[in-house]
Amino acid sequence: SPSRASRPPRPPRPPPVYPRRARDLDQQGTAMVRVKLDLTGNPAEVSILESSGYALLDHAAIKAARGWQFEPERRGGKPVTAFVHIPVRFALN
């Protein structure tokens, strides 16, 4: 069964696109994204662990995370599936 990754992944890039509608509505917040990594470090499943409070931002966080590449988790030198939890922050400047 997949384990929780013991160390943070390489920095997620690119950052999520801030939805224009969310900006217009002054929506901001942090979505906690749960990413299941496959053996190569690619996102196999992406879901929201904690909502930002806004569906637009949650969807943007999921969309971004699906495109991120991670270092695969290793046990005894072999890659294993793992989960990582990443806060995705949307803040208006």
Side-chain angles (χ1 to χ4, degrees):
S1 71
S3 64
R4 178 91 155 81
S6 58
R7 57 186 153 42
R10 78 173 65 135
R13 296 287 181 267
V17 174
Y18 211 127
R20 181 177 301 278
R21 178 103 178 106
R23 276 187 193 278
D24 291 346
L25 295 170
D26 290 330
Q27 294 179 352
Q28 27 187 1
T30 300
M32 183 63 75
V33 178
R34 180 180 192 252
V35 182
K36 180 181 179 182
L37 304 179
D38 67 15
L39 299 179
T40 62
N42 286 315
E45 296 170 20
V46 180
S47 60
I48 294 293
L49 198 62
E50 287 178 39
S51 174
S52 65
Y54 300 102
L56 287 169
L57 301 183
D58 292 350
H59 290 303
I62 287 173
K63 186 175 180 184
R66 285 186 177 136
W68 292 339
Q69 174 67 43
F70 300 84
E71 291 288 350
E73 179 69 9
R74 295 184 182 276
R75 292 274 186 303
K78 294 180 190 265
V80 295
T81 57
F83 289 100
V84 292
H85 299 165
I86 302 164
V88 180
R89 185 165 177 260
F90 294 89
L92 296 167
N93 295 335

